[in-house]
Amino acid sequence: MKAVYMVAIGLLGCGAAATLFRLWRGPSMLDRAVALDVLTAMAMCGAGAFAVVMDDYSDLPILLVLSLLGFVGSVSLARFYSGRSR
């Protein structure tokens, strides 16, 4: 089980590195917002994998907070940028 966890964390790390590159290099603010949303989802996956491996599910409220934060952030940015043109 630890080997699967290490592979999952490695893949999440590679994905996070690519997402951070898009966050840094993004041509528009909406690209950066999507990168932050993906980074939040990867943090949720990492926290979930940690909870499964350690067999301790007391950290699951963190997943709830991260999901609400990602949703509210995405909706607020979409609402803010819906009326703007380039």
Side-chain angles (χ1 to χ4, degrees):
M1 186 66 130
K2 296 281 185 181
V4 173
Y5 175 68
M6 295 307 268
V7 169
I9 292 299
L11 290 173
L12 284 172
C14 290
T19 303
L20 287 173
F21 177 74
R22 175 49 58 194
L23 185 66
W24 173 65
R25 186 75 182 189
S28 71
M29 187 60 149
L30 291 177
D31 289 331
R32 290 184 172 101
V34 170
L36 277 176
D37 199 30
V38 170
L39 200 59
T40 303
M42 285 189 182
M44 289 172 54
C45 290
F50 180 77
V52 168
V53 168
M54 295 301 166
D55 201 26
D56 180 27
Y57 301 106
S58 63
D59 294 335
L60 291 182
I62 294 172
L63 294 176
L64 179 66
V65 170
L66 283 174
S67 66
L68 288 174
L69 181 69
F71 174 74
V72 170
S74 296
V75 168
S76 63
L77 280 172
R79 186 173 172 101
F80 180 70
Y81 281 106
S82 66
R84 292 186 177 203
S85 63
R86 289 183 173 210

